[in-house]
Amino acid sequence: MDQVNTLISKLYVSSWESVQDRYDSIEFTRTGLYIYLISFLLLLLPLTIFTLEYLTGSLRQKLSLYRNPPPPPTKIKELRVYPIKSCRGFTVQKTRMLRTGLDLDRNWMFVDAVDYKFLTIRNLSEMTLIDTRISEKDELVVSVRGKEEMGFVIPAHPSRKWLEGNTTLNDGVVIWGQKVDAWVYPEGMTKSFAELFGKEVRLVYKGPTPRALVGNAAPERLGRTESTKFPDLMPVQISNFKSIEELNIRLEAQNESPTPIERFRPNIVVEGLTPWYEDSWKTVRINHGVSRNKSGGGELTRESSVTIDVAARCARCQVPNVDCDTAVKHKKQPWDTLMKYRRIDKGITFKPCFGMLCCPREEGDVAVGDWLEILEVTDQHDYMKGM
Ligand SMILES: *[C@@H]1O[C@H](CO)[C@@H](O)[C@H](O)[C@H]1NC(C)=O
Ligand SMILES: *[C@@H]1O[C@H](CO)[C@@H](O)[C@H](O)[C@H]1NC(C)=O
Ligand SMILES: *[C@@H]1O[C@H](CO)[C@@H](O)[C@H](O)[C@H]1NC(C)=O
């Protein structure tokens, strides 16, 4: 036994000595130093890439999602539809969400009778005095406050046959520099409106060719091609009632009157949990007809649901300064207040943001009181060029 131990310890010592010998004979040449330096840099490289990705990209997003799970659901407080672009709309209790937007929303617009360019409140504040409603016979009834001679009644859901018989299809109608097709109503129908607009105008209805979405909702970003009728950019705008309340606290502190949410022209207003948390929503789902199934042991059931991609923040112009009842444009508010603290989008820093622009993935019923569930959040909402 002892012999074996001695042998092992001898072997051990001798091998250790030979290692020491070898180290003693190593010279630190210049080439050797370079090799060490390069190996060190090669080790550093993956670390640098990792850090860069963490700071700029998807990894940070994934980690933040892990740390901040989506907030709890909130209820739909209002549904708002504006049949004619820039004209007064109305609220509904229940309607249908289409891929192009809420049923009837921005299906029509007024254009200049000479060049067929679109007209908005930006051109003429008085457009907010044009009222719209839907009659029991499914007609769009248009009237102007204080101007009884102006108005018309047309089918709210005209058939292709009706449009072919009563309007003219024109593919040179211009909205935001984009040429689109539209059915043009007869000159006589809107003749009396020249007094309001200060020039001849025409009413148009979106034609059959889809108006494809651009910018943040372009196919390469959204992952599919969607289209809309005559909103500025996207089919649906969702906003949060908690945010308008927060803005109004700021306005009241300056002795200014509060701004009704209608002036921001949202389609869906949710009750909300906290102000501005909608800024980071990425995917939401409206659960329609949620109830507790008593016979099924009290579990939650829903009749249907609509999943919606939140594609961008809504960057604002000065339209919310226009009083919807009087068409008087306030010189400063709420624009000035919003400019102080809502220039939050790095892609469009010269404009304040309010509300979120969205693209439904599917169609279905939506109603006041439905639950809006936030499925995913993001910090990558900045405006892209091409909007
Ligand atoms: C109306 O205003 C829009 C947006 O500012 C503008 O692009 C358009 O050219 C104007 N149209 C007319 C006819 O002035
Ligand atoms: C044109 O409009 C009138 C009035 O709404 C309607 O009676 C008529 O049927 C329409 N024409 C066609 C071809 O649908
Ligand atoms: C309620 O639960 C029962 C039993 O699970 C089921 O048969 C029924 O379809 C449910 N009703 C609804 C509205 O989901």
Side-chain angles (χ1 to χ4, degrees), residues 55-215:
L55 288 177
T56 58
S58 58
L59 197 61
R60 181 176 50 153
Q61 166 73 13
K62 277 173 206 140
L63 288 178
S64 93
L65 234 169
Y66 179 70
R67 270 189 249 109
N68 314 305
T74 180
K75 270 191 174 175
I76 294 181
K77 185 179 168 62
E78 288 173 353
L79 290 170
R80 293 184 167 272
V81 177
Y82 316 84
I84 309 178
K85 186 174 187 63
S86 279
C87 298
R88 197 88 180 257
F90 46 82
T91 58
V92 290
Q93 285 302 302
K94 186 183 171 183
T95 187
R96 191 126 180 107
M97 172 74 82
L98 306 174
R99 296 274 285 271
T100 50
L102 290 184
D103 178 36
L104 295 170
D105 189 62
R106 279 98 165 185
N107 287 8
W108 291 267
M109 66 178 185
F110 279 102
V111 298
D112 186 304
V114 177
D115 55 15
Y116 287 82
K117 275 193 182 154
F118 76 126
L119 294 163
T120 82
I121 312 181
R122 299 171 188 87
N123 309 100
L124 184 79
S125 296
E126 281 75 12
M127 283 184 78
T128 184
L129 301 177
I130 302 174
D131 280 321
T132 54
R133 68 180 177 86
I134 304 297
S135 74
E136 275 159 23
K137 287 187 280 177
D138 197 37
E139 297 156 323
L140 176 70
V141 182
V142 179
S143 58
V144 182
R145 259 162 287 157
K147 313 247 179 203
E148 269 174 30
E149 70 282 11
M150 294 180 202
F152 51 85
V153 180
I154 49 176
H157 296 93
S159 66
R160 172 109 193 182
K161 191 161 160 275
W162 191 96
L163 290 164
E164 281 170 358
N166 285 288
T167 66
T168 323
L169 188 60
N170 183 317
D171 59 9
V173 170
V174 181
I175 175 168
W176 291 116
Q178 192 185 4
K179 270 200 177 160
V180 299
D181 67 352
W183 301 96
V184 185
Y185 289 75
E187 193 182 342
M189 196 180 87
T190 46
K191 203 147 195 70
S192 57
F193 284 75
E195 188 205 319
L196 182 79
F197 283 92
K199 59 181 168 188
E200 291 283 327
V201 295
R202 294 297 202 88
L203 185 81
V204 303
Y205 182 75
K206 182 70 193 74
T209 312
R211 179 177 159 233
L213 304 184
V214 295

Side-chain angles (χ1 to χ4, degrees), residues 12 76 78 91 129 177 199 216 257 291 305 325 339 365 385:
Y12 189 79
I76 294 181
E78 288 173 353
T91 58
L129 301 177
K199 59 181 168 188
N216 287 44
S257 44
S291 58
S305 70
D325 292 319
M339 282 296 276
D365 292 335
K385 284 207 173 70

Side-chain angles (χ1 to χ4, degrees), residues 291-303:
S291 58
R292 230 168 247 293
N293 184 348
K294 294 277 183 334
S295 62
E299 92 238 36
L300 284 177
T301 60
R302 63 173 181 226
E303 284 166 30

